[in-house]
Amino acid sequence: MPVAPTTPSRTLTDLLFEKEEVGLCLVAPDGTVLRANAKWLRSTGFTEEQVVGQSMVELFPDTRETVLEMHARARAGLRVDVPRHVQVVNGRETRWEGTLDPVAMEGGTGLLITTRDVTHDVRRDRVGTEPDAPALDDLYTALFEHSPECVIITRTDGTVVRANPAACRVYGAPESEVCGRGRAAYVVRDAALEAFLSERERTGAAHGRITARRNDGTVFPVEASSSLIMVEGSEQYACVIFHDVTDEQRKQDALRHASELLDLGDAFCELDSEYRLVRVNARQEQLTKTPREQSVGRTHWELWPESARPDSPWWREYHRCMEERVPVAFENYYAPLDLWSSVTAYPTSSGGIAIFFRDVRKRKQAEEELRRSEAALDAFFANSPGLLVLADEEFRYVKTDATTPTYFGLTRESIVGKRVAELAPALIEELGPVLRRVIDRGEPALNQEAQIAWRGRAAELAYWRSSCFPVQLPGGKRGVGLTGVEITDLKNAERALRESEDLYRSLFTLAPSGVVLNDAEGRILAFNDQTHEQLGYTREEFARLHLADVDAEEQPVDVRNHITEITARGGAEYEVRHRTKSGEIRNVLVRTRPVRIGGELRFVNVWQDITDRKRAESALRDSDQRKSEFLGVLSHELRNPLAPIRNSIYLLDRAPAGSEQARRAREVIARQTEHLTRLIDDLLDVTRISRGKIVLHEARLDLRDLARKTASDFHSLFVQAKVELAVEDGHTPIWIEADPVRVAQVIGNVLQNAVKFTPSGGSVKLALTARDGSAWLTVRDDGIGIEPAMLARVFEPFAQAEQSLARTKGGLGLGLALVKGLIELHGGSVEARSNGVGHGTEIAIRLPLAAAAAASDGEAGARAPSRRRSVLVVEDNLDAAQSLADILELGGHRVTVVRDGRSGIEAARKLRPEVILCDIGLPDLDGYEVARALRRDEALRGTRLVAVTGYAQPEDRQRAQDAGFDGHLAKPLNPDELERALE
C-alpha cells in the first residue's frame, strides 16, 4: 500500500521543476510519484492528478519488469540511463530518453527521473527565442539573483560570462573574479565532464554529476543541469544550474558501504512498526528467493504466510522484539523454502525491527549426519564380533564392544572409566608401549600379535592380532583405539599348514621323478627341479612352456582332449614321448590325477623317465635274439668242421698209410682244425676287446708294406675263389704307430669278408692313401652288397645279413666286430659303405699317421685357402666351437665365436662377416630360425651361411637349404670340406 509522501531533499527546488528543457519526476522510496513537471507529464500523456501518489509500476504495467529492474539499480546507488524510446500521446509520436538518479530521502532512497524530447534538435527549437517583455527580464533576473541553486552562464568554449551569488559563494570568489575564467578554472576535466558536454552537444541539454573546482583549488562534487540557449545575433550560450552534493555524496557512499557490508554478511531485512519490509539486502533475496521489488512495502506475514501462525516462533519472537523492544534469537525450519535458519532480531530507532537470517541448513545436515554417525558407531561397537575399545591417555575405557566387558563380568556401561591395566594387565604388559607410542606420535600401529591371558578365563593363553590408532576424544583430548581378533585357531591352523607344506615341499623337491602341476589347458603351473633337468631346460625356460611343447607327438588341442579324458576317468597312467631341449626323444611314464586347488581344477603329474629302461629292454631283446641266432650259428659252424674231421679220422683208421686217401684226410683235418682255431680265437678276441684285455705292441711300420704282405698271404684264397685282388699302394711309405699283428689281422679279416661275399669272377681292390694326418685303407668289392638297414649293425658282434639255411658263406659274424674294436684301440675308425644289395661293399679304415709322417704329410699336402675371410662361428658346445675356431685361425681366417642364436644374429648384424658357420641345435633359437632371421636382413645378403650339424640326412640338408643356408657340413668336419665351404 502507498505510504504518505515525504519531503524531498532541499537540493530539489521548485525552480528546477519549472524548467522546460527536461522532464522531471520525483519518486518516493516506496515507488509512488511525489512530483512531476509539465515536460514529463507531456511525455507520458498523464495529468498531475493522475500520477501523484500512484505507483510507477501501476502507471506503466506493460513495462513492469523493466521498470522494477531499473528502479532497483538506481536505489542501489547507481545512475541508470533510460534508453531512447517512442511515446505516442494523443496520436502524436515523439522520441524520449533520460536518466534515473538516486536521491536520499527520509525513509530510504528515492528516484529523480529526467526525460528529454529528442524528436527535434533542441537547439533549433530555441533559435529566435528572445524576451519580448521587460517583466520577463525582471523575473529571470530575480530568479538568477535569488535562486538557492548555483547558476552560471558560459559561452560554448566554457568561458564564464555570468555567475549568480549562490555560485560565487560556492566558488569562494566575487562574480568579477569568476567571470572571464575558462572552463578549466571552475571544473575538473575528466570522463564525467566529457560525457556531460557530449550529451549537451548532442541533445542541447545535459544532467549529471561532475567535479567542480573552488577558487582556492579544492574540488567538490556537484549535481548539474545545463541547456544551450540562443540569444540575439544567433550567439549560443550555455546555462548551467548546479548545487554542492558533498554531504549527499558522503551519505550515499556510507549507505552504499553499509549496504555492501550487509550484502557480504547474513541475510538482512528491516521491518517498520507495521511489519512491512522497508529494506532487504541481496543475501535476503537469495535466501528467500524473493526480489526486493516484490518484498519492499509488503508485510512479513504477506510474504511468508506460514510464519503468521500465532504458535510459530517468528510470530511470537518478532512481536516480543517489537513490543518489548528487546533482542530475540531462535532457530527454526521454514518448510515452504526448505530452509533451516538462525534468526536474530533487534529493535531499531525508527520503531521497527532489524532481522538477520543465517542459513544453517549445512550445519543442521552436519548435526544430523553426526547423530546418525554416532548412532552407527555405537551400533558398530555394540555388534563388533571382535575386540573394539576406545581408551583415554590414562588407558581408561571410554567405549567398548559388547563382548569385551563380559570377560570381566561387566557391562558396556559399567566398564567405562575403569583402567585397562586393572582388568587386563597382560594386555598392558604386551601392548602398553605400543599404545603409548601411538598416542604420543599420532601414528597407527597395525597387525600387532601377542599372547594374552585374560583374567576370568582361567588364565587361558590366547593369540590375538590387534591394530592401534590415535583418536581425538570429546574435549580435544587424545586417546587410542584398539581393534583385535582372537587368532588362536588361525595360529594352530597356520602351524598345521606349515607342517603340511613342509612335508609336501620335501616330497615335491626330493622326489626322484619329475613332478608337474598343470591346468586344464595344459599350461605348466609348478614343477620340481628333476622335471626341467631331465629335459635339459633351465627353470626359467621350462616355466614358459606348455605341455604340448615337450610332447613329441601331441599338439595343444590333443593335450586338452587328453586332459578331458583324464578328468572323466579320475586319473590315468600312460607312456609318452618327450622331446628334450636338444631334440632328443625320451620315453616317460606318466601318472596323473586331477585335484582341486583354490576351487580350480588342476592336475598333478609324476614323470618317470624310462628311456634307459626301454633301451635296456630293447637291447636285452636284441641281445637275446642275437644270442639265439649266435648259438644256432655257432652250433652250425662247429658241426661243419667236425663232420669232415670225423670222416677223415674214419678214413685214417681204414686207409693204408701213405696212401692218397690218408694224405687228403690229414689235409682236411689240418684245414678244419685251423678253421676251428680261428673261430675260437675270434670269440676270445671279441671278449678281450669288450673287457679291455687286449694289449697292443705298437711299433713304427709302413702300412703300405704290411698291407702288401697281408694281401700276398691271402692270394691263394682269392685264386681258389676265382676273385681278382688288386692292390693300389702308391709310391711312398705310409708310416703309422701300430701293432703289426693286429693290423694284419684287421686287413686279413676284411679281405676274407670281401672274398667270401664276392662271387666267382668278381674283383676286390685294396687301396692305401695318406691325407689330413691319417692313413686310409679301403677294401672295395663288387660282391652282394649290404642292405641299408644292415649297415649300422655290421660291426656288432654276431651281426650277419640274412642267409639261407644252407649257410654256404659260414662265419659267426665276428670278423667286422673285431676290425672295429682293434682299429678303435689304435685311435682310428672304420666305416662300411654300400649302395645296397648287388652293388658291392666298401670298408674304409682310418689310422693316425705317425708323428713325423703326419707333419711331413701335412706340410706337403696342406692346402692354402684362396684368401683369408672373416668367419662367425655360432656353436653352443664350447669344445667344438673352440677347436673349430683354432682350425680356422690356423688357416689364417679371422674368427668370432658366440654361444647362442640371438647372440649370433646380433654379432652378424654388427660384424657383417663373410661366412657364418652355424650349429642347428642351439639353446634359444635353433639354427633354422637364425638363418631365416639373417636372410631377412638386406645388409647380410652377401654373407655365406653354412650349417654345421650332426643332422646329416637328406631331409636335414633340404631343411637347411629351405631355411636359407648356402651349404651343409656334417660333424665331424673334414678340414678339406670346411675349406671348400669357405670358398
Side-chain angles (χ1 to χ4, degrees), residues 500-765:
S500 175
E501 287 179 345
D502 289 343
L503 177 60
Y504 162 75
R505 190 175 294 107
S506 298
L507 292 174
F508 188 81
T509 304
L510 300 176
S513 301
V515 181
V516 179
L517 181 70
N518 64 273
D519 64 10
E521 295 296 319
R523 289 184 290 265
I524 296 173
L525 306 176
F527 50 90
N528 63 357
D529 289 339
Q530 286 79 356
T531 304
H532 67 85
E533 289 173 357
Q534 74 182 21
L535 292 175
Y537 289 97
T538 65
R539 172 169 284 276
E540 292 73 18
E541 291 170 341
F542 193 77
R544 295 191 291 268
L545 299 181
H546 186 278
L547 288 182
D549 295 327
V550 299
D551 197 305
E553 297 168 343
E554 290 190 342
Q555 298 299 316
V557 63
D558 302 319
V559 171
R560 287 194 293 271
N561 293 336
H562 193 191
I563 289 173
T564 301
E565 295 176 6
I566 292 171
T567 304
R569 293 161 54 189
E573 181 176 316
Y574 51 93
E575 291 185 12
V576 296
R577 287 158 54 82
H578 283 173
R579 179 179 288 106
T580 67
K581 179 181 176 180
S582 63
E584 180 186 0
I585 302 300
R586 307 289 295 182
N587 295 297
V588 177
L589 176 64
V590 179
R591 297 181 182 90
T592 182
R593 295 290 183 276
V595 294
R596 288 279 176 184
I597 301 178
E600 299 289 337
L601 184 62
R602 299 290 185 255
F603 297 85
V604 177
N605 305 270
V606 177
W607 290 357
Q608 181 181 354
D609 190 330
I610 58 173
T611 304
D612 293 340
R613 190 187 81 187
K614 298 286 281 188
R615 288 174 180 170
E617 290 173 353
S618 177
L620 185 60
R621 285 193 298 271
D622 292 344
S623 175
D624 186 65
Q625 181 179 352
R626 288 198 299 273
K627 180 188 71 174
S628 299
E629 292 175 354
F630 167 70
L631 291 175
V633 171
L634 180 61
S635 174
H636 182 276
E637 291 298 315
L638 290 176
R639 289 177 181 276
N640 278 347
L642 288 175
I645 290 174
R646 186 174 184 178
N647 293 336
S648 296
I649 293 173
Y650 178 83
L651 289 174
L652 286 175
D653 289 341
R654 291 165 175 74
S659 65
E660 184 64 22
Q661 286 179 321
R663 184 186 61 79
R664 286 198 303 273
R666 284 193 297 273
E667 288 178 355
V668 168
I669 290 173
R671 196 163 48 246
Q672 295 303 322
T673 300
E674 182 181 353
H675 180 60
L676 282 172
T677 302
R678 190 164 58 250
L679 285 177
I680 300 301
D681 287 343
D682 285 349
L683 282 171
L684 292 174
D685 283 344
V686 168
T687 302
R688 293 191 191 102
I689 291 173
S690 65
R691 296 180 178 179
K693 297 296 182 66
I694 292 289
V695 178
L696 298 180
H697 302 283
E698 294 183 342
R700 182 180 177 87
L701 58 90
D702 181 2
L703 179 62
R704 184 187 60 159
D705 181 56
L706 182 62
R708 262 200 317 269
K709 290 178 179 178
T710 305
S712 176
D713 291 342
F714 284 87
H715 178 71
S716 60
L717 182 62
F718 280 84
V719 172
Q720 183 181 357
K722 298 181 181 179
V723 175
E724 180 183 358
L725 174 61
V727 178
E728 296 180 0
D729 55 3
H731 303 288
T732 57
I734 301 176
W735 299 100
I736 63 173
E737 292 285 346
D739 185 328
V741 174
R742 292 300 183 181
V743 174
Q745 182 182 357
V746 166
I747 297 172
N749 281 3
V750 174
L751 290 175
Q752 287 185 78
N753 220 51
V755 73
K756 184 190 298 185
F757 294 102
T758 301
S760 177
S763 64
V764 174
K765 181 172 72 174

Side-chain angles (χ1 to χ4, degrees), residues 874-876 899-901 918-927 930:
V874 186
E875 170 63 70
D876 63 324
R899 300 287 301 283
D900 57 72
C918 183
D919 186 18
I920 297 300
L922 296 172
D924 51 355
L925 305 177
D926 61 36
V930 173

Side-chain angles (χ1 to χ4, degrees), residues 815-970:
L816 291 181
L818 280 172
V819 169
K820 180 175 183 297
L822 291 172
I823 291 299
E824 287 179 349
L825 286 175
H826 283 83
S829 60
V830 62
E831 181 182 359
R833 304 172 186 140
S834 176
N835 291 329
V837 177
H839 296 283
T841 302
E842 180 182 70
I843 303 298
I845 298 171
R846 180 191 63 81
L847 287 168
L849 288 172
S856 174
D857 183 72
E859 292 168 3
R863 168 178 174 165
S866 58
R867 69 183 182 89
R868 297 179 179 179
R869 296 187 180 275
S870 60
V871 182
L872 173 62
V873 175
V874 186
E875 170 63 70
D876 63 324
N877 185 294
L878 181 61
D879 292 337
Q882 191 57 54
S883 61
L884 179 56
D886 291 342
I887 292 173
L888 292 168
E889 288 173 350
L890 191 62
H893 302 292
R894 299 185 304 277
V895 184
T896 301
V897 177
V898 295
R899 300 287 301 283
D900 57 72
R902 288 190 174 88
S903 300
I905 294 172
E906 182 180 349
R909 289 172 175 166
K910 180 179 179 181
L911 301 175
R912 297 188 181 180
E914 296 173 84
V915 180
I916 298 175
L917 302 177
C918 183
D919 186 18
I920 297 300
L922 296 172
D924 51 355
L925 305 177
D926 61 36
Y928 303 125
E929 293 176 281
V930 173
R932 284 190 286 269
L934 295 177
R935 284 305 179 222
R936 288 194 294 268
D937 193 331
E938 291 293 333
L940 298 171
R941 285 291 185 184
T943 298
R944 179 169 176 78
L945 191 56
V946 179
V948 179
T949 176
Y951 302 107
Q953 297 301 315
E955 57 269 21
D956 297 322
R957 296 178 182 274
Q958 183 61 48
R959 187 177 179 187
Q961 182 179 347
D962 294 342
F965 282 103
D966 299 304
H968 186 284
L969 293 178

Side-chain angles (χ1 to χ4, degrees), residues 152-395:
I152 61 173
I153 306 297
T154 71
R155 292 189 177 90
T156 54
D157 63 0
T159 304
V160 178
V161 296
R162 288 295 310 274
N164 74 344
C168 291
R169 285 193 299 273
V170 170
Y171 285 130
E175 184 179 12
S176 58
E177 291 185 17
V178 175
C179 292
R181 290 182 176 182
R183 182 177 292 134
Y186 61 86
V187 69
V188 175
R189 192 175 191 90
D190 55 14
L193 179 63
E194 294 296 333
F196 185 89
L197 295 176
S198 177
E199 178 70 11
R200 190 179 70 182
E201 179 67 23
R202 185 173 62 84
T203 66
H207 176 81
R209 185 165 292 186
I210 59 177
T211 304
R213 180 178 285 111
R214 295 188 180 88
N215 194 47
D216 60 4
T218 59
V219 296
F220 57 99
V222 298
E223 192 78 27
S225 295
S226 178
S227 300
L228 294 174
I229 57 176
M230 299 295 294
V231 297
E232 54 192 54
S234 299
E235 185 175 359
Q236 193 174 52
Y237 291 87
C239 176
V240 183
I241 302 173
F242 64 94
H243 61 273
D244 187 347
V245 293
T246 301
D247 292 340
E248 179 184 341
Q249 182 70 44
R250 288 173 181 165
K251 292 178 182 178
Q252 289 181 353
D253 289 345
L255 181 62
R256 184 179 301 109
H257 181 64
S259 178
E260 289 173 352
L261 290 177
L262 285 175
D263 285 342
L264 292 175
D266 293 337
F268 165 80
C269 71
E270 183 179 351
L271 307 184
D272 63 14
S273 59
E274 300 297 325
Y275 296 97
R276 284 189 294 266
L277 275 74
V278 295
R279 186 181 304 168
V280 298
N281 69 352
R283 181 62 181 144
Q284 170 75 5
E285 291 182 279
Q286 296 171 359
L287 198 61
T288 62
K289 303 176 183 177
T290 306
R292 68 183 67 187
E293 292 80 8
Q294 297 179 15
S295 58
V296 172
R298 301 174 67 186
T299 69
H300 187 283
W301 322 119
E302 290 179 284
L303 290 168
W304 300 292
E306 290 292 323
S307 67
R309 299 194 313 271
D311 60 343
S312 77
W314 293 277
W315 178 275
R316 183 179 61 254
E317 297 301 320
Y318 288 175
H319 276 76
R320 189 161 74 90
C321 183
M322 187 76 76
E323 295 166 4
E324 299 178 14
R325 311 308 290 168
V326 293
V328 297
F330 62 92
E331 289 184 358
N332 213 326
Y333 176 71
Y334 191 71
L337 295 177
D338 188 23
L339 175 65
W340 264 102
S341 60
S342 174
V343 184
T344 306
Y346 303 90
T348 63
S349 59
S350 62
I353 59 176
I355 306 170
F356 293 87
F357 300 87
R358 178 169 295 172
D359 185 352
V360 295
R361 281 176 292 191
K362 290 184 178 179
R363 194 193 78 198
K364 287 292 185 180
Q365 291 171 358
E367 289 174 352
E368 178 61 20
E369 287 298 322
L370 179 59
R371 186 192 65 77
R372 292 177 182 172
S373 177
E374 288 178 343
L377 180 63
D378 192 65
F380 177 69
F381 267 81
N383 296 286
S384 173
L387 176 71
L388 188 58
V389 172
L390 287 182
D392 62 15
E393 282 190 282
E394 303 300 323
F395 300 151

Side-chain angles (χ1 to χ4, degrees), residues 313-503:
W314 293 277
W315 178 275
R316 183 179 61 254
E317 297 301 320
Y318 288 175
H319 276 76
R320 189 161 74 90
C321 183
M322 187 76 76
E323 295 166 4
E324 299 178 14
R325 311 308 290 168
V326 293
V328 297
F330 62 92
E331 289 184 358
N332 213 326
Y333 176 71
Y334 191 71
L337 295 177
D338 188 23
L339 175 65
W340 264 102
S341 60
S342 174
V343 184
T344 306
Y346 303 90
T348 63
S349 59
S350 62
I353 59 176
I355 306 170
F356 293 87
F357 300 87
R358 178 169 295 172
D359 185 352
V360 295
R361 281 176 292 191
K362 290 184 178 179
R363 194 193 78 198
K364 287 292 185 180
Q365 291 171 358
E367 289 174 352
E368 178 61 20
E369 287 298 322
L370 179 59
R371 186 192 65 77
R372 292 177 182 172
S373 177
E374 288 178 343
L377 180 63
D378 192 65
F380 177 69
F381 267 81
N383 296 286
S384 173
L387 176 71
L388 188 58
V389 172
L390 287 182
D392 62 15
E393 282 190 282
E394 303 300 323
F395 300 151
R396 286 187 292 260
Y397 287 102
V398 175
K399 186 185 286 287
T400 73
D401 61 281
T403 305
T404 298
T406 63
Y407 291 153
F408 316 109
L410 300 173
T411 64
R412 292 185 67 207
E413 293 74 20
S414 62
I415 198 174
V416 173
K418 295 188 180 298
R419 292 183 179 275
V420 179
E422 174 188 352
L423 300 178
L427 176 62
I428 291 299
E429 184 179 344
E430 287 285 341
L431 297 179
V434 177
L435 297 174
R436 176 56 59 193
R437 189 164 54 250
V438 168
I439 293 176
D440 292 342
R441 296 183 181 178
E443 298 175 351
L446 306 178
N447 297 322
Q448 304 291 312
E449 292 190 3
Q451 268 189 302
I452 300 173
W454 292 107
R455 197 182 78 177
R457 296 185 65 184
E460 177 185 345
L461 276 176
Y463 282 98
W464 287 81
R465 178 181 292 136
S466 62
S467 292
C468 314
F469 49 91
V471 295
Q472 184 99 15
L473 298 175
K477 296 181 180 179
R478 298 186 304 172
V480 62
L482 176 66
T483 64
V485 60
E486 185 174 350
I487 57 171
T488 304
D489 293 340
L490 176 62
K491 282 290 186 179
N492 293 335
E494 286 178 349
R495 184 176 62 253
L497 178 60
R498 282 194 303 272
E499 293 171 354
S500 175
E501 287 179 345
D502 289 343
L503 177 60

